[in-house]
């Protein structure tokens, strides 16, 4: 028989350190409690939301605060808080402390999973307004009455909202929250450079069911960073919002990218130019270099790298989403030294190893689950001397760095960027170099 449920139990607890995932750690009579809406050092009343007697840990919400942290603020969003929208983790925390908490998580993950002491700070990404008004791509869930909203934390329940403060004003101004959506499971809203008006893409209920289990892509090859249902490989753009155009500028350089409306693109307006600049600076690609761009998407890094290595070099983009590869080929069509392969990254790299092909440099921008040990081993076998790894999950990154250490690499540098303010997510960029 199942152990008794603890859901609804309320305990006064002293809140300890922040944990990966937007929680802080507390204990009650020896029971580990992961508490949301709390801050380290606070004393709160925690209401259990998940867990049973005997569980290794339970989850809870801080429903009242007895002793508040000096970093606690009134959440700017009225739909943020226990039992409400689950999209933001840190609306109750001042912005500087949010970044300090994220840095603490990065340090803890690298210490625990890679055995490395790292000194890292989380830098602001330009383009938001005090941590708000930055998300250019939002998937709004639709409830049984046809009303659009956002989901509760770890739930399929839809919370009706009148605004989303982290979304850009064009996303909210699109009218997605003002109309009814009968027969629709979700509505994606995309605020791109072109077209000037946001693109709204309804996802019909039957189509959402068909796409609940994407075929032919997994964490090593497909791109699951975008949380909505993914475009099916080989489909046309009908019903998926077609193509949108993104423009990225880095100093005097600028590039235009065609991207599937529901495909992957960085959601913070400053993220793509920031990461492009940092990747190119850190990679130090020179004319004649052979570069692998792994999980290349629609070619954000590929196009710039193709220019940097010149006609005597080569860039190979590998991506699991065939439509993204088609767009990537179009985005880099002016560069004869850029090639593309559509397939699982680990499988494509294994083919290169079997063929005796070598590479000088690599860029990795994998989904949240990370690249995995096979990909890291293949990079070593290909002779890659330096790799720049862009990661949206510090735990996955730390595990892959630990693997890289066993293959003769060292962590040359690590930096972090706040591309997702008000949430626990943080983007890291690591440089791996051959230790010799």
């Amino acid at each position: 028989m199942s152990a008794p449920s603890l859901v609804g139990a309320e305990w006064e607890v002293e809140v300890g350190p922040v944990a990966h995932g937007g929680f802080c750690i507390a204990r009650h009579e020896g029971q580990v409690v992961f508490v949301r809406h709390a801050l380290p050092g606070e004393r709160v009343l925690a209401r259990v939301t998940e867990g049973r007697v005997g569980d290794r840990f339970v989850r809870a919400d801080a429903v009242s605060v007895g002793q508040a942290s000096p970093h606690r603020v009134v959440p700017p969003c009225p739909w943020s808080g226990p039992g409400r929208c689950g999209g933001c983790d840190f609306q109750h925390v001042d912005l500087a402390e949010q970044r300090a908490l994220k840095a603490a998580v990065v340090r803890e993950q690298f210490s625990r999973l890679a055995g490395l002491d790292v000194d890292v700070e989380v830098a602001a990404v330009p383009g938001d307004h005090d941590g708000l008004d930055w998300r250019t791509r939002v998937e709004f869930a639709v409830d049984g009455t046809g009303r659009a909203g956002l989901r509760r934390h770890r739930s399929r329940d839809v919370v009706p909202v009148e605004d989303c403060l982290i979304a850009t004003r064009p996303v909210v101004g699109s009218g997605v929250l003002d109309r009814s959506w009968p027969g629709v499971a979700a509505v994606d809203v995309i605020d791109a450079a072109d077209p000037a008006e946001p693109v709204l893409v309804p996802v019909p209920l039957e189509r959402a069911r068909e796409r609940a289990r994407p075929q032919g892509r997994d964490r090593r090859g497909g791109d699951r960073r975008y949380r909505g249902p993914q475009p099916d490989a080989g489909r046309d753009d009908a019903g998926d919002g077609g193509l949108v155009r993104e423009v990225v500028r880095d100093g005097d350089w600028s590039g235009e990218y065609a991207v599937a409306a529901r495909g992957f693109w960085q959601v913070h307006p400053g993220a793509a130019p920031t990461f492009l600049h940092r990747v190119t600076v850190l990679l130090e690609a020179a004319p004649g270099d052979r570069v692998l761009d792994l999980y290349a998407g629609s070619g954000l890094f590929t196009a710039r790298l193709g220019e940097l290595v010149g006609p005597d070099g080569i860039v190979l983009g590998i991506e699991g989403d065939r439509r993204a590869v088609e767009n990537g080929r179009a985005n880099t069509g002016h560069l004869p030294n850029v090639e593309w392969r559509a397939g699982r990254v680990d499988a494509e790299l294994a083919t290169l190893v079997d063929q005796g092909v070598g590479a000088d440099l690599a860029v990795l921008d994998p989904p949240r689950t990370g690249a995995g040990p096979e990909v890291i081993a293949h990079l070593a076998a290909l002779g890659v001397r330096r790799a720049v790894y862009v990661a949206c999950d510090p735990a996955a990154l730390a595990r892959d760095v630990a693997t890289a250490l066993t293959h003769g690499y060292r962590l040359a540098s690590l930096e972090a960027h706040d591309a997702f303010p008000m949430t626990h997510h943080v983007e890291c960029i690591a440089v791996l170099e051959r230790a010799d």
Side-chain angles (χ1 to χ4, degrees):
M1 296 179 64
S2 297
S5 172
L6 291 171
V7 174
E10 295 185 348
W11 304 326
E12 281 196 6
V13 296
E14 297 280 354
V15 181
V18 66
H20 183 34
F23 298 89
C24 290
I25 301 174
R27 292 181 182 271
H28 174 73
E29 297 180 354
Q31 173 70 68
V32 176
V33 187
F34 286 170
V35 188
R36 274 173 59 84
H37 311 292
L39 275 166
E42 292 187 328
R43 185 166 186 83
V44 304
L45 181 65
R47 179 181 297 153
V48 177
T49 56
E50 296 179 40
R52 295 179 177 275
V53 173
D55 284 354
R56 187 165 58 91
F57 64 86
V58 300
R59 302 179 188 275
D61 285 340
V63 294
S64 66
V65 180
Q67 178 181 323
S69 164
H71 302 293
R72 177 174 285 274
V73 298
V74 176
C77 177
W79 294 277
S80 175
R84 299 172 187 163
C85 170
C88 292
D89 309 288
F90 291 148
Q91 290 257 353
H92 62 291
V93 189
D94 71 65
L95 200 53
E97 183 65 10
Q98 290 183 32
R99 293 170 183 150
L101 294 176
K102 294 179 185 185
V105 168
V106 174
R107 289 192 294 268
E108 190 274 334
Q109 295 297 304
F110 270 79
S111 174
R112 183 170 61 86
L113 299 174
L116 296 174
D117 292 328
V118 297
D119 183 15
V120 64
E121 295 183 357
V122 176
V125 174
D128 58 61
H129 298 93
D130 296 325
L132 304 175
D133 187 18
W134 56 266
R135 193 173 182 97
T136 60
R137 285 161 164 77
V138 182
E139 180 177 280
F140 292 93
V142 177
D143 65 18
T145 69
R147 183 172 180 180
L150 297 165
R151 297 198 185 277
R152 300 185 199 279
H153 181 65
R154 294 176 60 84
S155 170
R156 302 299 296 174
D157 294 342
V158 179
V159 178
V161 298
E162 297 175 11
D163 196 352
C164 174
L165 296 187
I166 65 171
T168 62
R169 294 304 84 192
V171 165
V172 177
S174 69
V176 62
L177 297 172
D178 301 328
R179 55 173 290 189
S180 179
W181 299 94
V184 169
V187 183
D188 284 345
V189 185
I190 301 94
D191 176 15
D194 183 60
E197 296 296 322
V199 176
L200 281 72
V201 188
V203 182
L205 284 168
E206 61 274 14
R207 192 170 183 186
R209 296 188 187 104
E210 291 172 1
R211 293 185 173 187
R213 295 184 177 88
Q215 300 298 312
R217 297 188 299 277
D218 66 7
R219 70 176 179 88
R220 295 166 291 184
D223 194 337
R224 294 189 178 179
R225 292 166 291 187
Y226 180 67
R227 298 186 66 183
Q230 293 295 306
D232 294 329
R235 292 181 63 98
D236 60 27
D237 289 319
D240 282 315
L243 295 178
V244 298
R245 184 176 65 94
E246 297 288 358
V247 178
V248 178
R249 294 179 176 84
D250 179 18
D252 294 334
W253 183 89
S254 66
E256 295 188 2
Y257 299 84
V259 184
R262 303 187 71 237
F264 173 74
W265 188 259
Q266 292 289 346
V267 296
H268 191 294
T274 297
F275 300 158
L276 176 64
H277 176 75
R278 295 306 300 154
V279 165
T280 54
V281 167
L282 294 168
L283 193 65
E284 299 179 3
D289 278 334
R290 301 163 298 170
V291 184
L292 296 169
D293 187 4
L294 309 180
Y295 315 92
S298 297
L300 170 62
F301 304 127
T302 327
R304 184 71 177 117
L305 293 172
E307 296 179 3
L308 291 173
V309 302
D312 294 330
I314 188 169
V315 178
L316 174 60
I318 303 177
E319 166 61 46
D321 187 321
R322 293 186 180 276
R323 183 182 301 172
V325 170
E326 293 171 4
N327 295 334
R329 287 188 175 121
N331 294 332
T332 58
H334 62 293
L335 296 168
N337 62 339
V338 172
E339 298 180 6
W340 285 85
R341 292 192 182 184
R344 280 178 27 170
V345 169
D346 63 334
E348 295 297 334
L349 290 182
T351 299
L352 296 179
V353 172
D354 291 343
Q355 293 172 342
V357 174
D360 301 305
L361 305 169
V363 176
L364 300 85
D365 188 8
R368 190 160 291 144
T369 45
E374 296 91 348
V375 168
I376 302 299
H378 292 327
L379 292 181
L382 291 165
V384 170
R385 70 174 185 267
R386 178 184 291 125
V388 177
Y389 190 136
V390 182
C392 56
D393 184 274
L397 174 60
R399 285 192 292 267
D400 285 342
V401 168
T403 300
L405 299 180
T406 68
H407 287 281
Y409 290 92
R410 69 181 184 93
L411 179 63
S413 68
L414 175 68
E415 58 191 53
H417 300 268
D418 195 13
F420 311 94
M422 302 295 167
T423 80
H424 75 272
H425 299 291
V426 59
E427 199 88 6
C428 295
I429 303 178
V431 177
L432 297 168
E433 289 183 342
R434 299 292 300 193
D436 55 2

